[in-house]
Amino acid sequence: MEKLVIVPTYNELENIEELLTRVLGLPYDLHILIVDDNSPDGTASVVKEWQKKTDRVHLLQRPGKMGLGSAYRDGFRYALANGAEYIFEMDADFSHDPDALGQFLENITDVDIVLGSRYLHGVTVVNWPLSRLILSYSANMYSRIITGMPLADATGGFKCFRRRALEGIRLDRVKSEGYSFQIEMSFRCWKRGFKIKEIPIIFVDRRAGVSKMSRKIIWEAAGMVWRMRFLDLLGQLE
Ligand SMILES: Nc1nc2c(ncn2[C@@H]2O[C@H](COP(=O)(O)OP(=O)(O)O)[C@@H](O)[C@H]2O)c(=O)[nH]1
Ligand SMILES: [Mg+2]
């Protein structure tokens, strides 16, 4: 398992079948790990059917909805324990185009992390309500100002990490659950000296199912960037 795409899922039954088809159909011998939080719609049962057909599909089942951050932390541990060299983060809802995975692999050769960026060349977001776009864009400006991290899109969740980056930070110290998880991961890696490269992606709003965005997630992110900044100032980021 050299390349592992981690996809957290909560009620993604409408997307999962096509997602597995598209990712496994790519010519890069990708493995895919679904981290499912006991989705009531039965997302995991589709994954289990696939596991009978191929050994490139992996499933972590968790007892209930525990958040995106901890889903990825569990996924990262699985990736490291199973020898993955290139570890991707990707959403299940086709906001992230599986066909872009190849570009991540091309770009990771000389860096440690590749970030799919929605705000690198203007704004490449399709079909989001204006309110959601403004929220995301302002969150990125806020994060850039407070953390000093020079990224156009620090909250994006389409990423590729090299193994050494995930090994280089303390995953057990990563506390965020919502979108701030993305900022926290990049910040910790950046502070450790890992090289991050942004590549432009076109982000399309989910085609099916519902978003899990919430007020709680926004407040968490607002506070987390300050937490990062102070931990760093106090030399306690590690
Ligand atoms: N396992 C797990 N997956 C989650 C959770 N919250 C969101 N996800 C998944 O994370 C991805 C991004 O969430 P989504 O609702 O699309 O967020 P949005 O696109 O920003 O509105 C999707 O694949 C979701 O199914 C969670 O608590 N646990
Ligand atoms: Mg989404």
Side-chain angles (χ1 to χ4, degrees):
M1 189 206 287
E2 191 197 16
K3 307 169 197 113
L4 180 69
V5 182
I6 304 176
V7 182
T9 56
Y10 192 74
N11 285 345
E12 300 288 0
L13 187 64
E14 290 161 290
N15 296 310
I16 191 72
E17 186 84 43
E18 190 182 342
L19 182 80
L20 291 168
T21 309
R22 295 267 308 272
V23 171
L24 297 175
L26 293 168
Y28 314 117
D29 197 29
L30 299 168
H31 283 240
I32 185 165
L33 169 66
I34 304 296
V35 185
D36 187 69
D37 281 0
N38 198 16
S39 297
D41 71 357
T43 304
S45 59
V46 175
V47 181
K48 285 181 192 156
E49 283 306 308
W50 275 74
Q51 286 187 301
K52 294 177 188 161
K53 295 184 283 186
T54 166
D55 59 5
R56 289 196 287 141
V57 175
H58 307 256
L59 174 64
L60 271 183
Q61 283 187 286
R62 309 197 310 162
K65 193 171 186 319
M66 289 152 73
L68 187 82
S70 73
Y72 273 125
R73 285 193 290 276
D74 287 350
F76 291 155
R77 290 190 188 103
Y78 184 96
L80 294 177
N82 288 279
E85 196 56 47
Y86 302 99
I87 299 117
F88 294 82
E89 289 186 13
M90 190 168 105
D91 289 357
D93 58 2
F94 291 101
S95 286
H96 300 151
D97 182 0
D99 289 338
L101 288 166
Q103 287 166 39
F104 284 78
L105 286 172
E106 279 167 27
N107 282 282
I108 195 96
T109 50
D110 49 354
V111 294
D112 303 297
I113 301 163
V114 176
L115 291 188
S117 180
R118 297 162 292 185
Y119 308 119
L120 199 57
H121 301 317
V123 175
T124 46
V125 174
V126 179
N127 274 349
W128 251 5
L130 188 61
S131 55
R132 180 78 201 260
L133 181 62
I134 291 172
L135 174 68
S136 169
Y137 200 85
S138 344
N140 270 293
M141 281 185 1
Y142 177 82
S143 148
R144 209 159 40 237
I145 291 165
I146 293 165
T147 64
M149 190 165 50
L151 297 176
D153 188 359
T155 56
F158 199 5
K159 300 182 166 182
C160 182
F161 295 88
R162 256 171 197 273
R163 179 186 185 84
R164 62 182 178 226
L166 295 182
E167 281 175 337
I169 60 165
R170 294 277 306 267
L171 281 175
D172 56 329
R173 299 266 172 97
V174 178
K175 295 286 177 238
S176 315
E177 276 311 335
Y179 301 94
S180 61
F181 172 75
Q182 307 299 355
I183 307 175
E184 184 170 357
M185 284 297 297
S186 294
F187 189 73
R188 287 176 183 273
C189 291
W190 178 62
K191 278 289 162 184
R192 283 237 130 198
F194 290 109
K195 234 175 128 191
I196 304 178
K197 177 175 183 179
E198 282 185 283
I199 61 170
I201 57 157
I202 295 174
F203 178 99
V204 185
D205 194 16
R206 61 162 60 243
R207 315 189 204 172
V210 288
S211 167
K212 285 102 208 167
M213 177 55 130
S214 69
R215 226 170 263 278
K216 188 175 148 214
I217 283 174
I218 300 170
W219 283 111
E220 183 197 24
M224 197 282 303
V225 289
W226 285 105
R227 180 167 181 268
M228 285 297 102
R229 181 160 176 177
F230 282 115
L231 284 179
D232 183 37
L233 280 175
L234 299 170
Q236 293 183 353
L237 196 64
E238 268 160 43

